[in-house]
Amino acid sequence: MIRRPVAQAAPLLLLPSFMSMDRHYRGAIDSLEQADQLISKATSIADIERGGEKVKDAKKHLEYLPVWFLGYYPQRYCTLFGCSWKFTFDEFEQARQRVARLEAVAFQDKNALVPFNEAQKALLTAKQEYQEAKNTKDRESAIASWQTAIDKLDQISQQTFAGKNSQTQLAAYKRDFENVQISNFIAAAQEFDLEAQKVKSTNSQAASELWQQAITRLEQVPNKNPRYLDAQKLIAAYQVKQNTVVDQRSSTLIEAGKQYALAAAKAAQNPPHTTQKWEQIGELWENAVQQLKRIEVTEPSYVEAQTLIAQYQTNLGTIKIRQQMESDAVEILTEANKEIQRLIASPPTDKNQIRAEIQGVMTQLNTIKPGTTAYAESQRLLTLANQRIQQLK
């Protein structure tokens, strides 16, 4: 500590020391600033490397600053040569902490580059393997490796340069991966379908399992994907093939029931219909139900048949209601017309009696419901009846 008294009594003797202090102080500050800029705003791996070197430079400069000089300000030296620093314990500690922090950041950045580079290499390899794959098994193996590489990139800390860089690339990687994955689901399903077609005549169980694998692949296509509808159409087609090969009898009965149901639905379009037409439609629904009831509880399609029966019986009930409503409407209109003809042939002499009888007919007509063939005529007669009552006032 002999330099401190010398610095106070004869500071010019320590001029070389002051110059060294000044140089190392400025070097530490400059190196720290450069390191901070390079590491915190890195745009390449080279920036990280360069930033790490600057941290080492700053650390070396700080090591050359003697402890005895902390808190001392060389006034004469600074007057002559100009300096903007003052070595304090707090400033020295802050610089050391800053060096330690930047060392840790640079270390983490460098470490993160290892899994980043490995994941990038694995992803490129997986893409190449997928393009060269000859069958579903090889494609799915490549896709699994592809997914692993993306997961590895996703796990890199976003606080590191590699993590930030990977995040900017992940969106495109995931989009490409999803497109490839969906394409593979559909391609795999089509391959399973071709294999099933080849063996269905000799091994129906194997064919059914192949179609089930095809359906399982297609069910993985998310409903937000543009190819979702294509996948659903293929699922429906493969389910029909699967049901046909496994359960020929019940499949035939279900198809027959569906044909009756389709005919009934078409016939019921554009109402109103006559009572006889509603009766025919009801018979079609009844036939559909009867076909499905022939499927035994032990058959694979029993649950599907019961589900359809419940739907068709509900429709049949609705048709019967419409049939009865039509029948009632026609009957009411017929009775109303008879009353109208009677009033025309033998009108009462008393105006109040005529008005009362007309209102009775109107009450009947108002019970005719919309959706029947008699409704339009009932509305016409109500209008005429109203006009006649107005004339009797």
Side-chain angles (χ1 to χ4, degrees), residues 176-288:
D176 293 343
F177 176 76
E178 183 180 356
N179 290 336
V180 166
Q181 192 177 41
I182 298 305
S183 296
N184 182 65
F185 287 150
I186 293 176
Q190 291 170 335
E191 286 182 12
F192 286 129
D193 176 45
L194 289 174
E195 289 299 316
Q197 295 284 7
K198 292 177 183 178
V199 301
K200 69 177 183 179
S201 59
T202 57
N203 192 338
S204 60
Q205 184 61 36
S208 175
E209 291 173 359
L210 286 166
W211 274 316
Q212 185 56 51
Q213 288 189 59
I215 291 168
T216 301
R217 295 298 194 286
L218 294 169
E219 285 175 341
Q220 296 180 64
V221 178
N223 57 12
K224 293 182 179 179
N225 190 275
R227 303 195 68 181
Y228 175 74
L229 290 178
D230 293 336
Q232 292 300 304
K233 290 177 182 178
L234 289 173
I235 287 174
Y238 296 161
Q239 284 175 335
V240 170
K241 292 179 180 180
Q242 187 183 36
N243 291 336
T244 301
V245 74
V246 173
D247 186 15
Q248 185 68 47
R249 176 181 175 278
S250 59
S251 295
T252 301
L253 291 172
I254 287 177
E255 184 59 28
K258 288 181 177 180
Q259 290 301 317
Y260 277 116
L262 180 61
K266 288 182 178 179
Q269 291 176 350
N270 303 317
H273 300 303
T274 63
T275 303
Q276 293 76 17
K277 183 70 177 289
W278 286 122
E279 184 177 359
Q280 291 172 359
I281 296 169
E283 288 175 356
L284 288 170
W285 283 117
E286 186 64 44
N287 288 337

Side-chain angles (χ1 to χ4, degrees), residues 288-302:
V289 170
Q290 291 305 317
Q291 292 294 323
L292 296 170
K293 283 184 175 180
R294 293 170 60 188
I295 298 174
E296 303 292 337
V297 69
T298 55
E299 296 182 73
S301 299
Y302 178 76

Side-chain angles (χ1 to χ4, degrees), residues 47-202:
D47 288 343
I48 301 298
E49 296 287 345
R50 182 64 177 158
E53 293 299 322
K54 286 295 179 181
V55 171
K56 291 179 182 179
D57 291 344
K59 190 174 183 180
K60 287 180 181 179
H61 284 301
L62 287 175
E63 289 172 352
Y64 280 105
L65 295 177
V67 177
W68 71 267
F69 210 64
L70 298 178
Y72 178 73
Y73 182 72
Q75 186 171 0
R76 290 189 180 180
Y77 173 80
C78 290
T79 301
L80 293 172
F81 299 98
C83 54
S84 58
W85 44 264
K86 182 177 182 181
F87 294 121
T88 66
F89 287 101
D90 289 342
E91 188 178 32
F92 188 73
E93 280 302 311
Q94 288 173 5
R96 290 180 61 185
Q97 291 172 7
R98 194 175 178 189
V99 166
R101 179 180 65 80
L102 289 173
E103 271 187 325
V105 172
F107 179 76
Q108 291 173 352
D109 278 337
K110 289 179 181 178
N111 282 350
L113 289 173
V114 175
F116 176 78
N117 291 331
E118 290 176 350
Q120 289 278 21
K121 183 178 179 181
L123 193 144
L124 291 174
T125 301
K127 285 184 176 181
Q128 185 66 29
E129 290 175 350
Y130 179 83
Q131 292 172 355
E132 296 174 355
K134 303 298 183 184
N135 52 51
T136 297
K137 183 179 179 181
D138 292 343
R139 284 198 302 271
E140 290 184 346
S141 176
I143 286 173
S145 300
W146 198 331
Q147 178 69 71
T148 301
I150 289 176
D151 290 342
K152 198 167 186 177
L153 284 173
D154 217 358
Q155 291 168 6
I156 298 173
S157 172
Q158 295 184 30
Q159 302 302 316
T160 64
F161 169 74
K164 294 173 184 176
N165 198 25
S166 65
Q167 287 301 313
T168 60
Q169 299 172 1
L170 271 173
Y173 289 161
K174 289 180 177 179
R175 183 186 64 246
D176 293 343
F177 176 76
E178 183 180 356
N179 290 336
V180 166
Q181 192 177 41
I182 298 305
S183 296
N184 182 65
F185 287 150
I186 293 176
Q190 291 170 335
E191 286 182 12
F192 286 129
D193 176 45
L194 289 174
E195 289 299 316
Q197 295 284 7
K198 292 177 183 178
V199 301
K200 69 177 183 179
S201 59
T202 57

